[in-house]
């Protein structure tokens, strides 16, 4: 469904992503793990059109999106849930969710949007309970649910999730990852997940890529990576 071939991204002279090739098949949950500064966020931004790759190609559903605009990429069904959630804090929870429908103007009817809002409320009931509250008053975990809910309102087939567990207590983090599994089982969503917490990521993902200083240094099934001594030492805190 998503294929990256030899993608390079630089910030001036800093090469943040170097010749990265990876693929995510339909219905898969794939994780991208790596330390701070490994290039994970940069890679997601290159996929969603927020940053232009300097080289290589990105295809989604067979279409070349390497130089497509971010809004066009969302319209194709690929939606990015950014790091640190980036909800609009003074706006209400419901208005944040409705912003997710912006790219569907003229394509989705009011009934479609109402149905999707009901589905988001069913998945994250707290977003219904807090509908009128400013988004900034939600807890970190609730803001993460709102950020995912907002992406779902765009009607995606694939989500790019950037560190959904960041700064959350372990139980809240586990709850978010459970929802990610539900998104796949209930909606058939495909997910590329970036996570610094390798253990959490490998517990939900089918497969993973390990990124180090902008390069893929290892890839495999999550079960294989969990059993890999180097991964255990570098990312799982085991000797
Ligand atoms: P983290 O988990 O800390 O978010 P990451 O793996 O997502 O890290 P990136 O944020 O993609 O890593 O950063 C990759 C490299 O690119 C780092 O060396 C970083 O300093 C650099 N970088 C990121 N954004 C910019 C920017 N806007 N301008 C210049 N350099 C940047």
């Amino acid at each position: 469904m998503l294929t990256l071939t030899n993608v390079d991204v630089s910030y001036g002279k800093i090469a943040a992503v170097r010749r990265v090739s990876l693929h995510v098949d339909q219905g898969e949950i794939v994780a991208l793990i790596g330390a701070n500064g490994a290039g994970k966020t940069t890679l997601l931004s290159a996929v969603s059109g927020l940053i232009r790759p300097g080289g290589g190609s990105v295809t989604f559903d067979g279409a070349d999106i390497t130089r497509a605009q971010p809004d066009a990429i969302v319209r194709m069904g690929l939606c990015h849930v950014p790091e640190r959630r980036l909800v609009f804090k003074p706006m209400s929870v419901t208005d944040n969710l409705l912003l997710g429908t912006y790219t569907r103007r003229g394509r989705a009817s009011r009934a479609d949007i109402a149905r999707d809002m009901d589905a988001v409320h069913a998945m994250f009931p707290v977003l219904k309970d807090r509908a009128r509250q400013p988004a900034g008053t939600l807890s970190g975990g609730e803001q993460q649910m709102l950020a995912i809910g907002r992406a779902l309102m765009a009607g995606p087939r694939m989500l790019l999730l950037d560190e959904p567990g960041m700064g959350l207590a372990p139980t809240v983090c586990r709850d978010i990852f459970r929802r990610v599994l539900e998104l796949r089982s209930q909606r058939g969503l495909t997910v590329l997940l970036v996570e610094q917490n390798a253990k959490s990521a490998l517990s939900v993902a089918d497969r993973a890529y390990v990124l180090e200083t902008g390069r893929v240094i290892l890839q495999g099934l999550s079960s294989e990576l969990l059993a890999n001594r180097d991964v255990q030492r570098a990312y799982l805190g085991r000797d």
Side-chain angles (χ1 to χ4, degrees):
M1 191 170 203
L2 179 74
T3 305
L4 277 67
T5 309
N6 294 331
V7 170
D8 285 316
V9 187
S10 299
Y11 297 104
K13 288 191 178 139
I14 303 168
V17 169
R18 307 166 200 226
R19 297 186 72 76
V20 167
S21 296
L22 61 82
H23 67 98
V24 184
D25 296 335
Q26 186 156 4
E28 267 194 316
I29 299 177
V30 172
L32 206 52
I33 58 180
N36 266 326
K40 306 179 299 296
T41 296
T42 301
L43 195 64
L44 285 197
S45 301
V47 172
S48 61
L50 298 174
I51 301 178
R52 274 280 152 86
S57 69
V58 183
T59 63
F60 179 62
D61 263 353
D64 187 340
I65 58 165
T66 320
R67 278 167 232 305
Q69 294 296 323
D71 59 321
I73 293 173
V74 174
R75 281 193 189 91
M76 291 171 78
L78 179 56
C79 211
H80 187 162
V81 181
E83 195 175 16
R84 293 187 301 277
R85 359 259 193 234
L86 302 182
V87 297
F88 295 93
K89 293 187 171 169
M91 292 173 64
S92 73
V93 167
T94 296
D95 285 344
N96 267 275
L97 289 176
L98 288 173
L99 274 179
T101 66
Y102 185 78
T103 52
R104 298 167 74 191
R105 297 260 158 97
R107 291 187 301 141
S109 66
R110 274 168 193 266
D112 289 338
I113 288 171
R115 191 198 57 222
D116 289 351
M117 184 73 88
D118 285 346
V120 168
H121 285 160
M123 176 159 265
F124 303 116
V126 70
L127 301 182
K128 187 173 187 186
D129 300 342
R130 307 285 164 88
R132 291 169 189 274
Q133 212 166 296
T137 63
L138 298 179
S139 71
E142 289 162 355
Q143 288 188 24
Q144 183 62 57
M145 292 175 196
L146 178 56
I148 294 173
R150 181 180 58 189
L152 295 177
M153 292 300 290
R157 287 173 293 128
M158 177 166 182
L159 287 183
L160 305 171
L161 288 180
D162 197 350
E163 305 228 16
M166 187 192 253
L168 304 181
T171 52
V172 180
C173 188
R174 271 196 294 278
D175 187 38
I176 296 285
F177 283 115
R178 239 193 333 265
R179 305 311 176 94
V180 173
L181 286 168
E182 278 173 27
L183 288 172
R184 189 242 308 261
S185 62
Q186 295 179 6
R187 293 170 168 248
L189 277 187
T190 304
V191 177
L192 178 59
L193 167 75
V194 156
E195 196 43 72
Q196 241 186 76
N197 183 334
K199 200 171 164 195
S200 303
L202 294 175
S203 68
V204 288
D206 305 304
R207 287 190 298 118
Y209 293 84
V210 180
L211 214 56
E212 208 172 275
T213 56
R215 294 182 203 279
V216 172
I217 55 151
L218 210 57
Q219 57 176 297
L221 294 173
S222 294
S223 54
E224 290 167 358
L225 293 176
L226 280 166
N228 180 299
R229 297 283 298 165
D230 293 336
V231 172
Q232 288 179 355
R233 254 194 304 270
Y235 300 103
L236 301 172
R238 287 183 215 152
D239 291 329

